[in-house]
């Protein structure tokens, strides 16, 4: 007599569907696949406007981003808005036990708060900005990363993720022409914002000179640098300086760094996205520092 395995198939299908969704979400968090096109999501009313945020107000969203923020003792949380499903995935069993206000909302509620382009995955966290770090605290860091007016928060988030992977001590950017701490930056960094100091300074040339006083060799990445990066390293503290795509390093930055170097690429394409270039440069620096 044949057995009815319909129930078994349904359970198995559900299990594999959950695995596929989790795998897809993880790849989106890492920036390996694009997020869904806005025209395939429910659009908000045409008059939707982003909320006016104060200087001490940051809205974070996305499962990995929020989990990392909740695990960061330096992150001051104001409130949490989460769907039932996202609360379960974040293992938040009792919202009333949290040390800050938390409420259950619908995905549509979050769409209205965050807008049609935010892939929030059912959770939003309102927080204060992270504490400001001083350059002096980097004295014992062997590797840091400096960005010269890289404006795209997606690129900066991806660079931040790589910086954490290569154990860089900080990511330094300018206050002008660089993204501030935000939901987009944090989502692109997929939790890395909570794991590395993000230091924004007013004058990059002055900061590079301060890094020299702290014992760093500063190396500017330039496609026409006089020598390959791997032949440029010296000393036991390295600060890699990367410019924006297209413009590259500004002239003042080029004049201030210890050395200029290039990434040699044998293939037909001779330039890389700044986040890819940063990852390769940090790998090379780590290989040198291990030697």
């Amino acid at each position: 007599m044949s057995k009815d395995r319909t129930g078994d198939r349904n359970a198995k299908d559900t299990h594999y569907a959950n695995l596929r969704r989790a795998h897809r979400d993880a790849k989106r968090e890492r920036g390996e696949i694009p997020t869904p096109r806005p025209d395939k999501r429910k659009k908000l009313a045409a008059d939707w406007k982003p909320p006016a945020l104060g200087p001490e107000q940051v809205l974070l969203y996305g499962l990995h981003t929020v989990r990392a923020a909740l695990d960061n003792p330096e992150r001051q949380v104001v409130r949490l808005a989460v769907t039932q499903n996202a609360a379960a995935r974040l293992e938040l069993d009792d919202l009333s036990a949290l040390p800050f206000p938390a409420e259950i909302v619908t995905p549509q509620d979050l769409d209205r708060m965050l807008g049609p382009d935010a892939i929030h995955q059912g959770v939003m966290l309102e927080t204060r900005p992270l504490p400001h770090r001083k350059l002096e605290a980097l004295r014992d860091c062997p590797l840091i990363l400096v960005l010269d007016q890289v404006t795209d928060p997606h690129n900066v988030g991806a660079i931040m993720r790589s910086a954490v992977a290569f154990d860089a001590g900080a990511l330094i950017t300018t206050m002008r022409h660089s993204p501030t701490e935000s939901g987009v930056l944090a989502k692109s960094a997929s939790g890395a914002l909570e794991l590395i100091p993000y230091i924004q300074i007013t004058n990059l040339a002055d900061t590079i000179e301060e890094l020299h006083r702290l014992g760093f060799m500063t190396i500017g990445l330039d496609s026409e640098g006089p020598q390959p990066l791997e032949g440029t390293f010296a000393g036991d503290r390295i600060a890699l300086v990367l410019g924006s795509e297209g413009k590259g390093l500004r002239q003042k930055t080029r004049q201030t760094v210890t050395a200029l170097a290039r990434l040699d690429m044998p293939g037909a394409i001779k330039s890389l996205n700044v986040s890819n270039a940063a990852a390769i440069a940090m790998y090379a620096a780590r290989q040198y520092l291990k030697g």
Side-chain angles (χ1 to χ4, degrees), residues 46-59:
D47 59 352
W48 183 87
K49 294 181 180 179
L53 300 180
E56 293 296 308
Q57 188 180 23
V58 178
L59 300 183

Side-chain angles (χ1 to χ4, degrees), residues 3-259:
K3 295 183 180 180
D4 182 2
R5 297 186 178 273
T6 304
D8 290 343
R9 285 200 305 272
N10 288 342
K12 186 180 294 184
D13 290 346
T14 300
H15 172 70
Y16 284 119
N18 288 336
L19 287 178
R20 287 194 298 272
R21 183 171 63 250
H23 180 64
R24 184 179 65 245
D25 288 347
K27 293 186 74 173
R28 282 196 182 118
E29 289 283 348
R30 296 193 297 267
E32 295 175 4
I33 60 174
T35 55
R37 290 169 48 190
D39 59 1
K40 290 190 176 182
R41 305 179 66 215
K42 291 185 177 180
K43 292 185 177 180
L44 299 176
D47 59 352
W48 183 87
K49 294 181 180 179
L53 300 180
E56 293 296 308
Q57 188 180 23
V58 178
L59 300 183
L60 305 177
Y61 53 84
L63 292 170
H64 289 307
T65 301
V66 169
R67 180 73 270 169
L70 291 175
D71 291 341
N72 183 2
E74 294 191 335
R75 176 67 75 175
Q76 184 180 349
V77 177
V78 177
R79 67 185 178 100
L80 171 70
V82 64
T83 64
Q84 288 279 11
N85 181 56
R89 296 178 71 181
L90 288 167
E91 299 182 346
L92 300 175
D93 300 324
D94 183 6
L95 297 185
S96 65
L98 295 173
F100 46 80
E103 62 176 327
I104 294 294
V105 297
T106 67
Q108 291 73 28
D109 292 331
L110 294 176
D111 287 343
R112 284 189 288 271
M113 284 187 261
L114 297 170
D117 296 327
I119 309 301
H120 51 68
Q121 297 177 298
V123 61
M124 184 203 74
L125 195 68
E126 181 182 340
T127 78
R128 302 293 183 224
L130 288 168
H132 179 70
R133 302 291 185 88
K134 295 183 178 180
L135 293 178
E136 183 68 27
L138 306 179
R139 181 181 295 275
D140 297 326
C141 296
L143 176 64
I144 62 173
L145 205 60
V146 182
L147 302 182
D148 184 7
Q149 297 193 347
V150 178
T151 58
D152 186 347
H154 298 91
N155 271 339
V156 176
I159 291 169
M160 188 176 290
R161 184 177 175 84
S162 295
V164 171
F166 288 106
D167 198 25
L171 179 60
I172 299 173
T173 68
T174 53
M175 288 183 179
R176 295 185 61 191
H177 307 294
S178 296
T180 58
E181 187 177 332
S182 68
V184 175
L185 173 64
K187 184 71 161 58
S188 300
S190 190
L193 178 61
E194 311 298 324
L195 301 174
I196 185 172
Y198 183 52
I199 302 174
Q200 293 193 287
I201 46 85
T202 54
N203 186 293
L204 185 56
D206 289 348
T207 297
I208 291 173
E209 293 288 8
E210 177 64 20
L211 291 175
H212 293 160
R213 288 190 287 272
L214 292 174
F216 284 91
M217 179 188 190
T218 58
I219 303 176
L221 269 290
D222 187 279
S223 60
E224 298 182 2
Q227 58 182 323
L229 176 63
E230 57 270 27
T232 309
F233 297 122
D236 56 3
R237 293 186 181 90
I238 303 295
L240 298 168
V241 187
L242 292 94
S244 62
E245 292 183 61
K247 294 181 180 180
L249 298 174
R250 288 176 293 166
Q251 184 62 28
K252 181 65 172 177
T253 305
R254 292 164 56 89
Q255 294 171 347
T256 310
V257 295
T258 309

